[in-house]
Amino acid sequence: MIQLPDALAISFAVGAAAAFVLGELAFADTADLRAIYWLAVGTVSLRAAVQLGRRGAKT
Amino acid sequence: MKSFLRSTSSATDPGSPPASARPARRLYERVSDLGSAAQASVPGAYAWAATVAPAAWSRGGGTLAKATAVLALVALAGGWAAERRWGERARIASLWGFVLASATTWSAVPAALAPLRIDAPRGLAGMLGWALFALALAAPSLQGKGTAAPAAGDAEPLVARRRLARGDAPYLAAAALVAASLQTIGWRVAGAERALLVRFVALAAGLALIDAAATLALARHARGVRRGVRLRGWMAAVVVLAMLLLSGLLFALRG
């Protein structure tokens, strides 16, 4: 059974993937500010997912 | 596929016919007899045909572009021929000769690399070719039974130290799928610099996603000792994320 923190971590990772897609679309659209914003959201979201997923890990 | 597996796996059976009698096994042995430069020359030729030759023989491609394109192919073939005699040195010379000659070709015809003149399937084929070429050169070359050095206990099957946990593959498969789909965006961007930036961002984001997925998958098996130690770390990331989202929302409402 999947635990709540793991589900949260997965949802953060999915959110990060969506943010990266939006960021890349914005870059392709030459909307640089919007692209940087979405890439920052994706990076922080991915960081949260990894930190949440690694809570209590031995390594 | 089944016949190939049968033909390769049954080669070690004592009662089976000799391996050289099997076509698939024979092909594998013949490929194994080639060096790594020769094995890499197949994807190298594919990458050349997909990305270098069209640029050299495109409209505006001058003599220099054509000459360096031919030189790249010669370097690739030269590595194949010279590897048996000069070994590692020939492989390195072939690699650099091929890459530098290809780069010179592209530099001589910069207009041929404009995004509007490269359609998406050819761009993807070129990327795949260069990736396979790099992989074939960097990875250890295939070694047949006859050329491989005998290892201790070679006759006995190796026993795995532990089984891979179930459920890791979906993490990596999902991340690889997203990373691959990121590569489909931005192929119609005008301007070489912008197109390169989009490709670079897609590559970096894909690698970050795959790395995070591997970390998440592995972390599930390594829990239990320091529970709660990284609590502050993820809460800080979540707070920053919330602030980012809130500021984005406010900015959108204001705009």
Side-chain angles (χ1 to χ4, degrees):
Chain A
M1 186 66 188
I2 193 161
Q3 295 178 343
L4 180 66
D6 289 332
L8 259 178
I10 290 171
S11 56
F12 274 131
V14 171
F20 283 142
V21 170
L22 287 172
E24 207 187 340
L25 284 171
F27 259 134
D29 240 4
T30 63
D32 289 348
L33 190 64
R34 197 152 44 92
I36 290 169
Y37 171 75
W38 280 120
L39 290 180
V41 168
T43 306
V44 175
S45 186
L46 206 58
R47 179 79 184 153
V50 170
Q51 294 279 359
L52 197 55
R54 287 174 64 185
R55 80 209 179 280
K58 289 176 194 170
T59 52
Chain B
M1 185 67 190
K2 277 184 178 175
S3 64
F4 175 77
L5 288 174
R6 262 202 307 274
S7 64
T8 49
S9 62
S10 62
T12 51
D13 296 344
S16 66
S20 57
R22 310 283 183 149
R25 185 77 203 172
R26 210 164 46 214
L27 178 67
Y28 178 80
E29 292 289 341
R30 285 184 67 178
V31 172
S32 308
D33 286 343
L34 305 170
S36 60
Q39 289 170 17
S41 64
V42 178
Y46 172 69
W48 181 87
T51 58
V52 182
W57 276 274
S58 65
R59 195 183 307 156
T63 316
L64 176 67
K66 290 183 179 68
T68 48
V70 172
L71 196 66
L73 206 57
V74 169
L76 197 65
W80 183 331
E83 191 180 22
R84 280 183 184 277
R85 184 161 180 182
W86 288 292
E88 182 74 9
R89 279 180 296 176
R91 194 172 67 87
I92 292 172
S94 165
L95 163 70
W96 282 105
F98 180 62
V99 172
L100 288 176
S102 302
T104 312
T105 305
W106 292 327
S107 308
V109 204
L113 292 178
L116 290 176
R117 291 180 67 174
I118 299 178
D119 54 345
R122 189 153 68 82
L124 283 172
M127 270 186 359
L128 187 69
W130 281 100
L132 284 174
F133 174 66
L135 186 70
L137 265 176
S141 56
L142 295 173
Q143 293 211 327
K145 282 256 173 202
T147 53
D154 207 17
E156 297 169 9
L158 295 174
V159 181
R161 289 186 199 165
R162 55 179 295 188
R163 281 173 171 274
L164 284 177
R166 292 176 67 187
D168 287 354
Y171 280 78
L172 289 177
L177 189 69
V178 176
S181 46
L182 279 173
Q183 292 296 332
T184 60
I185 299 171
W187 283 93
R188 303 214 171 269
V189 179
E193 294 87 1
R194 174 71 54 176
L196 277 175
L197 179 67
V198 172
R199 293 273 63 77
F200 177 75
V201 169
L203 194 63
L207 287 175
L209 280 171
I210 290 175
D211 179 55
T215 307
L216 286 178
L218 288 175
R220 295 182 309 135
H221 313 301
R223 292 228 176 96
V225 173
R226 294 164 60 190
R227 185 167 288 277
V229 167
R230 290 192 174 84
L231 192 71
R232 228 181 323 172
W234 77 262
M235 280 193 73
V238 169
V239 168
V240 173
L241 181 64
M243 285 169 68
L244 265 173
L245 289 174
L246 192 64
S247 57
L249 190 67
L250 287 174
F251 196 76
L253 285 176
R254 212 180 136 198

